[in-house]
Amino acid sequence: MKGRWIYVGLAAASIGLAAGLPLRILTGVAWLAVLGHILPKGSRKQPMVLILLMVLASVPIDSVTAGRWRIDAVRDGYQIVQRGLVRKIVYCDDSNVGLDDLVEISGPTAIGLSSYDNFEISTFSGWALGQNIRDVVQAQGYVIIRRGFSLRRMMDDRLASLGDGWARRMLFGQGQPLDGTASYLFTASGMHVAVLSAAIGRLLRRHMYAQRAWQWQFNIMMVMTIVFGFQPAFIRVMLGLLALWLTDDRRDRWGLVAYGYGLYRPYGVCSLSYLIPMGLGLLSLFSHRAGRLAGRLYVLIIELWLFGQADAVALAFFGLGRRVSAVLFMAAMAAAIWPTRLALDGLVTTLAAGLGRMPCCFIGGRPALWLLALMMVMLLEYAAAGRPRFLGALAAALLVNQCQALLSPLYTVTMLDVGQGDCTVVTSPFSDHALLIDTGGSRYKDVAGDILIPYLRSQGLASVEVIVSHDDYDHDGALKSLQQGFSVTEVHRGKPASIVFNGLTISDPLADHHFADANDDSQVSLFDIGGFVFLYLGDISADAEAALTSSYPRLRADIVKVAHHGSAASTSPQLLSHLRPRWALISAGRRNRYGHPDRQVVALLTGDGISVLNTQTDHAVRFSVSRLGMMYRTAAGLSGFCWSAR
């Protein structure tokens, strides 16, 4: 029965998009029931077995760190090691190791996959699972059992000796940070490999018969797949060539590739390297009159869903970008095997600088599931029929998504997960202008570029004003970068007595108190939303807390952002008995060198019956206030509702 494999591919894709093993099992069972109805009896067994294999492949594989591992990739400050299907990230400063070295890990300490998580936007843990990476390990070093001996190791060593850093990054990702962000649209999606394979196929078919050309194309791509370590893009291209040989039905070919890649990387379905090429392939099955525009719109929707933002200018040049990436990839291969050095560093640097100077036109807003489904339906209808009314409906849905902040009737207060630092975003009803209480900051990470700006755009916000509690780097270090990449209308410093933000008054109860210590002189932010009182204490110590309680004997607060990241120098019992909060918020980096939050402070909070929400375990925390009451939700999945204030 022709066309049955498209159902297997759709089943694999939907199972891969399901979050967590239980939901994947339910999705698999649902597909088994569907196929039992739509397929003839004689052709049900094989597809059903394949769906069961897809579900089984989603079962996590636990492994110990002991034993021998192969160095699969080298990045700045960490390596990816592999044994069989299991992969790990190892943070280690050992510069003696290289690609394909066989090693034993010395002094491993498991530190988990957890990282920054600020609601739905693509996360480190999601990226890692998509790469079959189950663990993150901190190590003292490596014991090298055997030096790597492979063609890619020889190519990498040669490029390193020649100083061709651009070629190493292009071929092996050496020194690059984690991929999977919007800035890696062309290369992370792997479309440049597909362009390269298609170019090789066209060239071969000019000089030989189609079958012979296919054999040579298959062999060339197989060698490249082995050389470059079975990267996902090469696996997808190889599956496409195999499907081309197995069937002449376009739907079956798509289904076989979608299933095969999903089986190879069960948790990689939610990545750019799957969603963009497989989605464009599926769209081509429906598209008859509007393929190119429909493809660009599809990539736009996927970027919004994964990252909450998309650059319309980059999308306009998507086709050119993947071709340029393919040319650079071939140039990098030539640099690795050419007898003499190819001095292309200047050309590549000039090209990169030119791309960096291109104007940007960001579209923001992460669509809700219902809006995402509506966009996809309109896109498929437009691709199939080419009718303007479907394009108009899709444009209207994108506009609603872009303006989601203007359509929201709620106040929200969101403590972002920025590591060791503080940053809270306050929004008001029907406004795309927000208030930031501090910006966070890190000398090891671009907090504004990597966290704040993507989050603000994902919420459909257009501008912000900022309250800087004090001048510590972990509170205002990201401000400069934020001002360069986003619209910052005003910065409030110096302990103003009150600030009015979209009709909401934020006051400082200690505005007339000045302390010799810079932390004690932090701006304190107090505001009331719908009867729920929020209090942000900056980095003040117990001495400033005592001044607060003595000056305001009737002060109460429902939500307290505890001072100094939960330091032992703050959060006194007297303050808690005075304020009687329901929730205590703590923003601190995982495994920070200060030991924040202090165990005694956490024990004091929980002992008083206060609900503690900590970015180390709960990640971002959002309070949404309406006339009915207040709901809180964490990026880790906790939620609750309170009908009214005290």
Side-chain angles (χ1 to χ4, degrees):
M1 175 185 171
K2 282 192 173 184
R4 63 176 174 170
W5 294 109
I6 190 174
Y7 298 114
V8 177
L10 289 171
S14 56
I15 292 171
L17 289 172
L21 184 59
L23 189 56
R24 289 183 173 222
I25 293 174
L26 290 175
T27 306
V29 170
W31 269 104
L32 291 176
V34 169
L35 294 183
H37 285 284
I38 64 177
L39 294 180
K41 287 185 178 181
S43 58
R44 294 176 185 173
K45 185 176 180 181
Q46 193 175 19
M48 288 183 172
V49 170
L50 292 176
I51 290 175
L52 288 174
L53 285 175
M54 179 68 186
V55 174
L56 290 174
S58 301
V59 177
I61 302 174
D62 294 325
S63 69
V64 295
T65 306
R68 297 181 176 184
W69 297 82
R70 180 178 62 85
I71 302 293
D72 187 57
V74 179
R75 302 288 192 265
D76 282 339
Y78 71 95
Q79 299 80 39
I80 299 176
V81 300
Q82 183 168 357
R83 183 169 62 199
L85 295 177
V86 179
R87 307 176 83 209
K88 293 179 181 288
I89 287 178
V90 181
Y91 286 101
C92 182
D93 294 327
D94 194 336
S95 59
N96 294 320
V97 295
L99 287 176
D100 295 321
D101 283 348
L102 189 64
V103 300
E104 289 183 353
I105 302 173
S106 175
T109 303
I111 57 178
L113 284 176
S114 178
S115 186
Y116 305 99
D117 191 349
N118 291 289
F119 294 111
E120 291 98 17
I121 304 301
S122 185
T123 63
F124 167 79
S125 57
W127 172 88
L129 286 175
Q131 300 290 316
N132 279 355
I133 295 170
R134 302 287 178 174
D135 302 294
V136 178
V137 174
Q138 183 75 51
Q140 296 175 356
Y142 294 106
V143 178
I144 300 175
I145 307 300
R146 185 179 67 245
R147 287 291 181 184
F149 182 77
S150 62
L151 185 55
R152 72 166 182 164
R153 174 61 182 270
M154 289 187 287
M155 294 168 67
D156 185 50
D157 288 345
R158 171 177 166 75
L159 292 172
S161 64
L162 295 175
D164 285 333
W166 70 273
R168 296 183 75 199
R169 289 191 294 271
M170 196 72 210
L171 296 180
F172 308 111
Q174 301 291 64
Q176 284 293 310
L178 300 179
D179 58 354
T181 61
S183 61
Y184 287 86
L185 177 61
F186 305 130
T187 54
S189 64
M191 296 297 289
H192 63 297
V193 178
V195 171
L196 177 60
S197 175
I200 292 172
R202 285 194 298 269
L203 180 63
L204 291 172
R205 284 190 294 273
R206 289 182 181 179
H207 301 283
M208 57 187 71
Y209 292 112
Q211 184 64 24
R212 185 75 170 169
W214 177 89
Q215 292 174 353
W216 274 95
Q217 183 183 5
F218 183 87
N219 292 333
I220 291 171
M221 295 309 298
M222 174 60 77
V223 170
M224 293 179 66
T225 301
I226 296 172
V227 168
F228 293 106
F230 296 91
Q231 293 180 11
F234 285 97
I235 293 294
R236 189 184 64 250
V237 168
M238 292 301 300
L239 289 170
L241 292 173
L242 284 173
L244 186 64
W245 175 63
L246 290 171
T247 177
D248 59 353
D249 187 273
R250 293 175 63 206
R251 295 170 299 170
D252 282 340
R253 287 202 297 264
W254 183 90
L256 287 169
V257 176
Y259 175 80
Y261 186 81
L263 190 65
Y264 174 67
R265 289 281 174 88
Y267 288 91
V269 173
C270 293
S271 65
L272 278 179
S273 61
Y274 186 96
L275 289 173
I276 288 184
M278 298 314 304
L280 292 175
L282 181 63
L283 200 61
S284 69
L285 300 179
F286 294 88
S287 180
H288 300 293
R289 300 177 57 187
R292 183 170 296 181
L293 178 58
R296 300 296 187 275
L297 290 171
Y298 171 76
V299 176
L300 168 64
I301 294 170
I302 291 301
E303 279 202 276
L304 290 175
W305 185 54
L306 287 178
F307 310 119
Q309 61 177 0
D311 183 3
V313 175
L315 285 174
F317 291 97
F318 180 74
L320 176 63
R322 62 186 185 182
R323 289 175 175 82
V324 170
S325 298
V327 171
L328 290 176
F329 191 85
M330 289 189 287
M333 285 194 294
I337 61 178
W338 201 259
T340 58
R341 184 174 187 270
L342 294 178
L344 298 176
D345 295 71
L347 176 62
V348 174
T349 302
T350 302
L351 178 61
L355 292 175
R357 287 193 295 269
M358 287 182 61
C360 298
C361 179
F362 282 103
I363 299 172
R366 187 180 191 273
L369 284 177
W370 67 269
L371 188 56
L372 177 67
L374 179 63
M375 289 178 182
M376 288 300 183
V377 169
M378 293 298 102
L379 181 62
L380 287 174
E381 291 286 355
Y382 172 68
R387 296 175 183 172
R389 70 170 181 267
F390 294 118
L391 184 61
L394 177 59
L398 288 170
L399 181 62
V400 168
N401 182 64
Q402 172 81 14
C403 299
Q404 57 183 264
L406 293 172
L407 301 174
S408 173
L410 304 176
Y411 274 102
T412 67
V413 180
T414 307
M415 179 178 67
L416 292 182
D417 180 7
V418 294
Q420 184 64 20
D422 272 355
C423 181
T424 292
V425 182
V426 182
T427 67
S428 59
F430 310 112
S431 174
D432 61 358
H433 180 66
L435 171 71
L436 265 62
I437 302 176
D438 289 328
T439 65
S442 171
R443 302 188 187 278
Y444 309 101
K445 185 178 182 67
D446 182 5
V447 172
D450 294 340
I451 299 175
L452 299 189
I453 295 175
Y455 176 80
L456 295 172
R457 287 182 178 146
S458 74
Q459 302 303 303
L461 296 168
S463 61
V464 296
E465 56 187 278
V466 181
I467 293 176
V468 176
S469 65
H470 61 300
D471 287 333
D472 281 0
Y473 198 82
D474 60 339
H475 288 257
D476 71 348
L479 178 59
K480 183 177 180 181
S481 180
L482 178 67
Q483 290 173 315
Q484 293 172 348
F486 201 77
S487 175
V488 179
T489 60
E490 193 170 0
V491 179
H492 305 281
R493 295 180 182 269
K495 294 171 68 75
S498 65
I499 297 164
V500 179
F501 158 73
N502 288 352
L504 177 67
T505 300
I506 297 96
S507 60
D508 182 358
L510 295 179
D512 56 351
H513 291 67
H514 296 283
F515 303 88
D517 184 81
N519 283 342
D520 283 343
D521 217 31
S522 295
Q523 167 86 17
V524 174
S525 297
L526 176 70
F527 51 98
D528 184 326
I529 302 177
F532 293 95
V533 179
F534 293 77
L535 179 63
Y536 279 71
L537 294 172
D539 276 357
I540 67 173
S541 69
D543 292 338
E545 291 176 352
L548 178 66
T549 56
S550 61
S551 300
Y552 300 91
R554 296 185 178 181
L555 181 62
R556 299 291 183 267
D558 297 282
I559 300 96
V560 174
K561 168 66 180 59
V562 301
H564 210 168
H565 321 286
S567 165
S570 308
T571 317
S572 64
Q574 293 77 15
L575 177 75
L576 297 180
S577 62
H578 186 87
L579 297 177
R580 292 183 294 172
R582 300 184 185 185
W583 293 276
L585 308 182
I586 299 175
S587 179
R590 283 162 285 283
R591 299 175 297 278
N592 65 81
R593 61 191 178 95
Y594 307 102
H596 296 158
D598 184 79
R599 292 182 180 179
Q600 293 183 354
V601 170
V602 175
L604 176 65
L605 291 168
T606 55
D608 282 354
I610 302 170
S611 297
V612 179
L613 299 173
N614 184 353
T615 58
Q616 292 177 330
T617 54
D618 301 304
H619 303 287
V621 180
R622 179 182 296 155
F623 292 89
S624 301
V625 185
S626 69
R627 293 181 178 179
L628 295 176
M630 182 175 67
M631 182 183 74
Y632 74 87
R633 185 164 70 94
T634 74
L638 297 177
S639 62
F641 187 84
C642 183
W643 286 103
S644 62
R646 298 175 184 275

